Amino acid sequence: MEPLPDEDFRRVLCVVAHPDDLEYGVSAAVASWVARGIEVSYLLLTGGEAGMQRDPAETAALRAQEQARACAEVGVTDLTILDHPDGHLEPSLELRRDIARHIRRVRPDAVVTMTWADVVPWGLSMADHRVAGLAAADAVRDADNRWVFRELAEQEGLEPWGATWLLVSGSDEPTHAVDVSGEPLERGIASLEQHREYLADLPGHPAPRELIAGVTAEAGRELGVEAAEAFRAFRLR
């Protein structure tokens, strides 16, 4: 893998399905970016209300609180959680429009999302993760096309925006990585630790430090550093 050429990044938008999705490694890269003065925004497509064995309304409120604390650990202040139904995401035009709208608002240099592959390095991926990744990839192009979702410009004043990079986390064919050794790694681990009650609902889940340190160490060996977060990177322009 090569180091991600992110020296000129000013803004990054991360698009995922649920609270906690970004905390499985990406948040360590986010901590590295934020420490360098890069503005990072999070867009969560659902509230994760179907992810725990309790009332969905209670779960959504709890997970929003845990996500806010996770964001604080890595310095992210721009968090948006949409109300698409957890467990029922579909790669619809409505979903693509919502993501494209946010891309035009944030105007990021890079959009980060999850792989849309059905099989991932740790097993079978879940439906919401696949849909979120595919919809985000499509929305990157939608956001740059004046004639797709015309209402975004004509009614909402959101002019087209073309991101330079699409960064896909969780791919089994990573091409680039971000060095997260030291403080970014510690902040990334702390961000996952903020999802305490959610993780307590997952029997046998490894400790955040064990999990994140292991994943980033593997990518770090390929990059020649202590710890790294890997992406399949697509340069779009």
Side-chain angles (χ1 to χ4, degrees), residues 17 43-49 60 80-89 94-95 98:
L43 176 64
L44 279 53
L45 304 180
T46 82
E49 67 276 6
T80 300
I81 303 177
L82 301 183
D83 59 357
H84 291 276
D86 184 16
H88 295 267
L89 278 187
E94 179 186 5
L95 183 63
D98 285 349

Side-chain angles (χ1 to χ4, degrees), residues 23 27-28 30-32 34-35 42 69-76 184 187-188 191:
E23 278 66 64
S27 62
V30 168
S32 176
V34 170
Y42 282 8
R69 292 196 293 270
C71 287
E73 291 289 348
V74 295
V76 170
R187 290 186 177 275
S191 71

Side-chain angles (χ1 to χ4, degrees), residues 91-112:
S92 63
L93 290 176
E94 179 186 5
L95 183 63
R96 284 168 47 189
R97 182 190 297 113
D98 285 349
I99 300 171
R101 175 185 290 114
H102 216 73
I103 292 171
R104 291 191 183 190
R105 284 176 177 165
V106 173
R107 303 172 76 83
D109 300 294
V111 173
V112 178

Side-chain angles (χ1 to χ4, degrees), residues 106-123:
V106 173
R107 303 172 76 83
D109 300 294
V111 173
V112 178
T113 193
M114 305 177 70
T115 180
W116 48 91
D118 54 355
V119 178
V120 289
W122 52 91

Side-chain angles (χ1 to χ4, degrees), residues 208-222:
R209 177 169 297 278
E210 173 189 351
L211 178 61
I212 303 305
V215 171
T216 56
E218 182 178 350
R221 283 191 292 272
E222 294 198 38

Side-chain angles (χ1 to χ4, degrees), residues 183-206:
E183 184 68 17
L185 176 61
E186 292 302 316
R187 290 186 177 275
I189 293 169
S191 71
L192 181 56
E193 290 174 339
Q194 298 310 307
H195 296 277
R196 294 186 186 91
E197 294 202 43
Y198 172 68
L199 295 179
D201 252 27
L202 302 177
H205 191 284

